[in-house]
Amino acid sequence: MIEVIIYLSSGLFLGWSLGANDAANIFGTAVGSKMVKFSTAALIMTIFVILGSVVSGAGASHTLGALGQVGTLPAAFVVAFAAAVAVSWMTKLSLPVSTSHSIVGGIIGWNLYSGYATDLSVLREIVGAWIFSPVLSAFFAVVLYFAFRKWLNNARVHLLQLDFYTRWGLLIVGAFGAYSLGANNIANVMGVFTGIMEIPAYNLSIFSFSGAQQLFLLGGIAISVGVVTYSKRVMLTVGSNIMDISPIGAFIVVLASSTTLFVFASAGLKDFLIMLGLPSFPLVPVSSSQAVVGAVLGLGLAKGGRNINFKLLGKIGVGWILTPITAAVISFILLFFMQNVFIRSVV
Amino acid sequence: MPHILFGRSKELEIEITEYLDLVNQGALTFKRDLKRYVQKDFELFEESLTDIKKIENNADEHQKDIKYKLYKYMLIPESRADVLNIIEEIDTITDLAKEVIYEISIEKPVIPAGLESDFLELVENSAEAVDMLVKCVRAFFEEISQVNDYVNKVHFYEHQADKNEERLKRKIFSDQCEEIEIAYKLQLRYFIEEIAALSDQAEMVSEDVSVAAVKRRI
């Protein structure tokens, strides 16, 4: 039992750092500009991250399993640990980093070490989703911007009422954002463990929690601990950095990026689109930070801005390439140590 | 819970509307009183002297209440600061109007013959600038796209008042009024500047409203 907890700890640490960093993508502007109290934001985040993880976390997790089914618990520990190390290291170097990119690198590292061929079609699907997600997020932001502008011009809402709506709107999209973050990114935290650990389903009178869902619950709690213990300072930095975004702008950015995360996580939406004969989105963990950057760029474009920050775009590209490679290398080296120094089977 | 909070924002909305009504009434009363004085209807002028004081007191009460409610109820912090600033600055106008009327009642300056229409024009333009400012602030709350139109109108009337002010001063200090003692001339200059100050203050507030409106864009 203790060994299992130790093995899970790397995933939980990854969850903690996800909560500490990514909560700011959802509530950063609202808390940083004092529109929403941190305690309120943390409470909403906690509830909805856990809900999203448990209810909708399976889809993106399944895709990670298809990329490479890490075979043993020590190996899963190493993969998640390598991802966590890569995230911490690159954060320290001030490079934009995402647990989604990192965990994929970790899994590929395991594939390389164990000699399993990486399913290239799945990898293509994942990388495609990474590239497409900021673009989609920008698109959503543009559409929302024009829709809201039209509504504001026609509806003649009193400024005080508008502030009232905006504040509640930020709370509601914050809840949606937290749900989507949990649904999409819980795969990074617990995805490598779900295929290995045999946990019996837990039956409550109406609900039944599968083994994977119990792991997702644990991961969701780890994310929440990250939110409560560490995200405040990140939020205050984000809030003061992007103050030139108006409150309604912040609402649009959060809604656009959360919708992006949601479409890459919701199996229900995927089935619905397939039923309608429309192209569906693969269920892939994507980066919430990049979705936010995409939305901010989209908003800037819609407002007629011509100054696209190419440096920022370049950094996103670096994130796609450098993070997985770093994680893969770390994963490969640590697997070697786990196998040969700690004498634990990793294949 | 939302409807309770929503009710509160409605309460504040009504309070602000009433406050702006009072600022408007202040400007109208200011115009009426000065007209009576310039036309030498001194009896009526003194009779209605307390009107402007009542309006000013009432506006002060509203202003205090609005400040309190702005802090107590839901409002986005940044827009709270903007609204507070506008409300405080606009209050200066009503104070100024009351001050001018009361000082005229105390000092009883003599308006030189032949300058009445110039005085009335100055009063008219200054009061009109305030009227446009009130419309501008209402637009800021209710229809933000109209703010700039009103800001331009405030500028226009302020500019007219400036011209009136200069013309009057030139006439007073010219040969046309050589029989008037310098002390009286200086007293007149003081009142001309005070009357024109209303439009200056209106212009300053309209600038603040214009900036606050830009910040409100998505």
Side-chain angles (χ1 to χ4, degrees):
Chain A
M1 182 67 188
I2 290 172
E3 207 179 350
V4 171
I5 292 170
I6 291 172
Y7 287 142
L8 274 177
S9 66
S10 63
L12 297 178
F13 174 60
L14 203 56
W16 177 85
S17 84
L18 183 81
N21 287 308
D22 287 14
N25 292 334
I26 296 163
F27 274 112
T29 314
V31 171
S33 59
K34 299 196 175 75
M35 278 182 273
V36 173
K37 270 193 253 169
F38 174 73
S39 53
T40 313
L43 181 70
I44 291 176
M45 281 290 306
T46 303
I47 295 170
F48 285 90
V49 154
I50 293 175
L51 262 179
S53 306
V54 175
V55 178
S56 301
S61 235
H62 184 76
T63 307
L64 285 189
L67 180 68
Q69 190 48 67
V70 178
T72 69
L73 210 47
F77 166 80
V78 169
V79 168
F81 186 69
V85 170
V87 167
S88 317
W89 189 27
M90 293 188 69
T91 305
K92 216 163 194 166
L93 295 176
S94 297
L95 286 165
V97 67
S98 147
T99 50
S100 308
H101 305 154
S102 201
I103 198 78
V104 165
I107 293 171
I108 291 172
W110 182 83
N111 284 351
L112 292 173
Y113 185 82
S114 60
Y116 282 92
T118 302
D119 187 335
L120 285 179
S121 67
V122 177
L123 186 63
R124 242 195 320 271
E125 202 173 76
I126 290 174
V127 175
W130 289 348
I131 296 170
F132 189 54
S133 60
V135 178
L136 186 68
S137 189
F139 170 75
F140 284 144
V142 170
V143 172
L144 286 167
Y145 170 78
F146 285 113
F148 271 93
R149 208 177 63 168
K150 200 170 165 59
W151 175 69
L152 281 175
N153 283 342
N154 293 339
R156 290 194 188 177
V157 190
H158 194 281
L159 179 119
L160 298 178
Q161 271 180 44
L162 187 62
D163 279 6
F164 175 85
Y165 291 148
T166 310
R167 241 174 155 156
W168 277 96
L170 281 166
L171 289 177
I172 292 164
V173 294
F176 174 55
Y179 182 91
S180 301
L181 182 72
N184 188 280
N185 278 10
I186 193 68
N188 306 334
V189 177
M190 284 292 145
V192 284
F193 297 98
T194 50
I196 309 161
M197 295 178 73
E198 297 282 334
I199 302 170
Y202 185 80
N203 287 308
L204 284 168
S205 55
I206 339 167
F207 301 107
S208 165
F209 288 105
S210 68
Q213 280 177 318
Q214 291 169 47
L215 280 175
F216 291 157
L217 176 67
L218 202 61
I221 292 169
I223 297 174
S224 301
V225 172
V227 172
V228 172
T229 56
Y230 206 78
S231 69
K232 190 174 183 179
R233 65 172 77 183
V234 185
M235 284 184 190
L236 294 179
T237 320
V238 171
S240 51
N241 279 351
I242 43 173
M243 265 313 230
D244 53 331
I245 291 186
S246 68
I248 300 176
F251 172 84
I252 289 174
V253 166
V254 176
L255 185 55
S257 54
S258 305
T259 310
T260 306
L261 255 64
F262 183 77
V263 299
F264 284 109
S266 170
L269 180 72
K270 186 178 180 173
D271 293 344
F272 180 69
L273 288 173
I274 290 172
M275 197 183 79
L276 293 177
L278 292 169
S280 64
F281 297 92
L283 305 181
V284 170
V286 292
S287 159
S288 72
S289 308
Q290 294 194 357
V292 166
V293 171
V296 171
L297 281 176
L299 193 64
L301 278 176
K303 284 161 82 175
R306 285 176 184 79
N307 305 324
I308 294 182
N309 191 339
F310 283 102
K311 212 169 145 190
L312 197 64
L313 288 181
K315 272 191 167 182
I316 290 184
V318 169
W320 290 333
I321 300 160
L322 206 59
T323 315
I325 292 175
T326 312
V329 172
I330 297 172
S331 173
F332 190 92
I333 296 168
L334 291 181
L335 284 165
F336 175 83
F337 276 99
M338 188 58 109
Q339 177 105 327
N340 299 302
V341 179
F342 296 101
I343 324 289
R344 294 283 188 282
S345 160
V346 294
V347 179
Chain B
M1 192 158 90
H3 65 276
I4 299 172
L5 294 165
F6 191 76
R8 283 172 177 178
S9 93
K10 198 85 201 163
E11 201 182 307
L12 189 55
E13 234 175 273
I14 294 167
E15 187 98 38
I16 289 173
T17 307
E18 284 176 358
Y19 175 72
L20 291 175
D21 289 345
L22 284 169
V23 176
N24 221 349
Q25 278 175 37
L28 288 172
T29 311
F30 170 81
K31 195 163 83 177
R32 181 201 68 189
D33 287 356
L34 280 176
K35 204 170 167 186
R36 284 174 180 170
Y37 188 84
V38 172
Q39 289 170 346
K40 304 198 168 34
D41 202 344
F42 300 126
E43 205 175 319
L44 211 53
F45 173 80
E46 293 297 336
E47 244 179 60
S48 55
L49 189 63
T50 50
D51 287 3
I52 190 116
K53 189 167 192 171
K54 279 181 200 150
I55 292 169
E56 194 247 356
N57 284 343
N58 205 349
D60 275 351
E61 287 302 315
H62 272 74
Q63 193 214 12
K64 273 183 216 149
D65 224 35
I66 291 168
K67 270 191 196 170
Y68 169 73
K69 281 178 182 157
L70 272 174
Y71 274 95
K72 198 171 169 212
Y73 304 151
M74 300 265 285
L75 243 194
I76 290 166
E78 206 186 344
S79 75
R80 178 165 62 197
D82 286 338
V83 171
L84 201 63
N85 177 43
I86 291 167
I87 297 290
E88 273 179 353
E89 290 294 325
I90 212 173
D91 192 55
T92 321
I93 294 176
T94 321
D95 291 347
L96 208 60
K98 187 209 90 180
E99 214 177 285
V100 173
I101 299 295
Y102 268 73
E103 279 175 4
I104 285 181
S105 161
I106 295 164
E107 296 186 23
K108 299 194 171 45
V110 180
I111 311 290
L115 294 187
E116 290 91 347
S117 63
D118 287 309
F119 259 97
L120 287 177
E121 209 180 316
L122 172 65
V123 170
E124 182 74 35
N125 282 323
S126 228
E128 201 66 29
V130 177
D131 188 38
M132 286 304 149
L133 173 70
V134 170
K135 287 190 170 117
C136 176
V137 177
R138 283 194 212 279
F140 173 68
F141 285 109
E142 287 157 22
E143 204 182 350
I144 210 146
S145 59
Q146 300 291 314
V147 165
N148 257 349
D149 283 353
Y150 289 117
V151 170
N152 287 335
K153 286 178 182 162
V154 175
H155 281 316
F156 174 79
Y157 286 111
E158 191 275 337
H159 192 60
Q160 293 305 311
D162 266 358
K163 282 185 184 167
N164 294 144
E165 181 187 352
E166 193 192 328
R167 194 164 60 228
L168 261 172
K169 282 185 193 168
R170 283 191 187 283
K171 280 186 181 172
I172 288 168
F173 288 93
S174 72
D175 297 345
Q176 187 185 342
C177 298
E178 63 181 346
E179 75 285 358
I180 303 175
E181 278 177 42
I182 186 74
Y184 288 122
K185 286 184 179 183
L186 292 177
Q187 186 199 32
L188 281 171
R189 188 188 72 181
Y190 168 75
F191 279 108
I192 290 165
E193 282 173 354
E194 287 290 283
I195 295 167
L198 245 74
S199 68
D200 294 335
Q201 179 68 13
E203 188 187 37
M204 207 184 87
V205 182
S206 77
E207 300 282 349
D208 289 350
V209 178
S210 168
V211 172
V214 170
K215 281 202 241 165
R216 299 291 309 189
R217 285 191 200 147
I218 299 176

